[in-house]
Amino acid sequence: MIKIGIVGGTGYTGVELLRLLARHPQARVEVITSRSEEGVRVADMYPNLRGHYRDLAFSVPDVQALGACDVVFFATPHGVAHSMAAELLATGTRIIDLSADFRLQDAEEWARWYGQPHGAPQLLDQAVYGLPEVNREAIRNARLIAVPGCYPTATQLGLLPLLEQGLADPSRIIADCKSGVSGAGRGASVGSLLCEASESMKAYAVAGHRHLPEIRQGLQRAAGQAVGLTFVPHLTPMIRGIHATLYATVADHSVDLQTLFEARYADEPFVDVLPAGSHPETRSVKGANLCRIAVHRPQGGDLVVVLSVIDNLVKGASGQAVQCMNIALGLEETAGLDFPALMP
Ligand SMILES: NC(=O)C1=CN([C@@H]2O[C@H](COP(=O)(O)OP(=O)(O)OC[C@H]3O[C@@H](n4cnc5c(N)ncnc54)[C@H](OP(=O)(O)O)[C@@H]3O)[C@@H](O)[C@H]2O)C=CC1
Ligand SMILES: CC(=O)N[C@@H](CCC(=O)OP(=O)(O)O)C(=O)O
């Protein structure tokens, strides 16, 4: 059995890791940390996990205990993985970080967007961006994996086929994205209150969201050139889900876009290209490690609209993290992840 440690086990992505790993045939969670719930049993805090993790209890983060694990997931706010990664890597443990700490290749750009100095720039050379549909080979040998953010996952998967083939005008790409409230984490905040976030919808961070440089980095890599990206996130009254509506200009009408998307993702277990004319719903991926995509060319014009949906906590975080673990350890990529979405 592969021994797993999770730093940040009381948050939404942490408990989602527990839910997914409870059914994983080759992995067992041995250490789960929380500074605020030390000693509390996982099954007492999360009744959905009763029957699993009978004796597992939260403990404060400790490098020695975590270093005895084969894989350590960080499901923590940014900065935490920076402070522990070097010491843990030295023990031989693999790190899969769900936070943004190692997603940007440029430490100075990270510092500008996250408002603090990068805490471990010396590790950036070995950090691998954990988007399997792009980086599968690099993930296989990685010891430090940076799992993409939720908006960046939905947006990149939706746009990659167009940019990799040089079909989309890279100077003007628009990502209009909607998120469920769990994307903001479990910490108390006024914006996440029922009275604030339900029966209402709003855009935020229009001037610049920290996922902008991450998405741009991925799209530029795919396009092989600079990309002009407008990214506008919205908070919507649902608990889980990301819906990305993506706009790009494709002047070349000789390529069948439906065929292109189907071919690009034909071998991908966790990307489902829907039939032409479809409108994917967030509820069709709820709880599943899946991105569902539909591509449209309204009225046969030059503007192409791609619709891309994921569950922010699964393909947008914990599911993708487990997928990366499976690849890195040479396990079946779908191990513990091959289940259908919850409907409704
Ligand atoms: N929510 C989402 O949809 C997504 C989140 N992410 C990223 O994943 C990470 C976790 O997100 P989420 O689960 O939503 O966050 P939450 O706020 O829900 O949980 C954070 C967890 O981290 C622990 N923690 C906080 N500060 C520290 C610290 N200094 N040292 C050790 N542990 C700490 C908390 O427990 P305690 O304080 O008890 O120790 C808690 O368990 C974040 O970086 C987030 O940006 C990525 C993709 C999607
Ligand atoms: C709805 C909401 O608040 N969403 C979060 C993004 C969640 C996420 O993926 O954040 P990381 O990049 O830090 O991992 C936000 O906009 O900050």
Side-chain angles (χ1 to χ4, degrees):
M1 277 286 181
I2 294 149
K3 293 186 204 159
I4 306 287
I6 300 173
V7 187
T10 52
Y12 286 149
T13 59
V15 71
E16 194 68 2
L17 280 169
L18 284 171
R19 181 178 77 88
L20 301 178
L21 291 167
R23 309 274 317 221
H24 197 292
Q26 288 138 298
R28 187 169 61 218
V29 180
E30 303 251 316
V31 179
I32 179 125
T33 85
S34 165
R35 299 157 313 153
S36 56
E37 304 292 343
E38 185 187 4
V40 174
R41 289 191 330 153
V42 163
D44 292 339
M45 182 155 178
Y46 288 113
N48 62 317
L49 296 173
R50 276 170 66 80
H52 305 275
Y53 306 115
R54 222 166 305 153
D55 297 321
L56 186 68
F58 296 103
S59 55
V60 294
D62 170 58
V63 171
Q64 207 178 345
L66 291 164
C69 298
D70 301 303
V71 177
V72 171
F73 292 92
F74 278 88
T76 45
H78 58 256
V80 179
H82 281 170
S83 66
M84 294 173 73
E87 225 180 328
L88 271 178
L89 287 170
T91 68
T93 298
R94 271 177 219 264
I95 293 179
I96 303 184
D97 179 22
L98 281 73
S99 85
D101 281 8
F102 296 101
R103 292 184 199 151
L104 298 183
Q105 281 152 7
D106 183 336
E108 281 173 22
E109 182 161 47
W110 192 93
R112 272 197 303 281
W113 284 95
Y114 287 85
Q116 62 191 69
H118 196 288
Q122 79 282 9
L123 298 178
L124 282 173
D125 277 354
Q126 57 175 302
V128 171
Y129 191 65
L131 192 60
E133 293 74 10
V134 174
N135 256 354
R136 187 168 280 110
E137 286 316 309
I139 293 168
R140 273 191 224 292
N141 301 311
R143 305 208 66 82
L144 173 58
I145 298 171
V147 181
C150 45
Y151 290 121
T153 297
T155 302
Q156 290 177 79
L157 291 176
L159 289 167
L160 286 175
L162 299 175
L163 290 166
E164 286 169 351
Q165 296 304 316
L167 288 168
D169 173 0
S171 69
R172 192 148 176 271
I173 299 212
I174 297 174
D176 176 25
C177 298
K178 319 286 189 298
S179 174
V181 183
S182 65
R186 190 160 178 255
S189 73
V190 171
S192 304
L193 292 171
L194 183 73
C195 292
E196 306 281 330
S198 64
E199 298 176 38
S200 184
M201 182 174 137
K202 67 168 202 174
Y204 63 103
V206 178
H209 185 281
R210 55 197 158 80
H211 284 176
L212 178 73
E214 182 185 338
I215 300 171
R216 197 163 45 202
Q217 174 181 277
L219 298 185
Q220 286 182 174
R221 199 172 117 164
Q225 59 182 305
V227 160
L229 172 71
T230 302
F231 164 56
V232 181
H234 298 72
L235 192 65
T236 60
M238 58 184 177
I239 295 174
R240 289 167 179 252
I242 297 274
H243 187 296
T245 307
L246 310 165
Y247 301 87
T249 303
V250 178
D252 182 347
H253 287 239
S254 67
V255 178
D256 183 284
L257 297 179
Q258 182 68 26
T259 306
L260 171 80
F261 273 68
E262 286 176 8
R264 173 61 177 84
Y265 292 123
D267 296 328
E268 291 299 342
F270 298 118
V271 181
D272 180 24
V273 177
L274 297 180
S278 299
H279 298 86
E281 299 174 70
T282 53
R283 67 182 184 141
S284 78
V285 292
K286 188 174 165 187
N289 191 50
L290 194 58
C291 177
R292 289 209 150 101
I293 296 178
V295 57
H296 295 250
R297 198 191 262 282
Q299 289 92 51
D302 285 356
L303 190 69
V304 169
V305 179
V306 182
L307 309 173
S308 170
V309 298
I310 58 169
D311 183 327
N312 53 297
L313 294 176
V314 192
K315 186 59 176 160
S318 308
Q320 185 139 264
V322 173
Q323 188 181 352
C324 286
M325 176 188 81
N326 290 342
I327 297 168
L329 297 182
L331 310 178
E332 192 65 46
E333 187 167 332
T334 55
L337 293 171
D338 195 10
F339 43 77
L342 298 162
M343 286 283 274

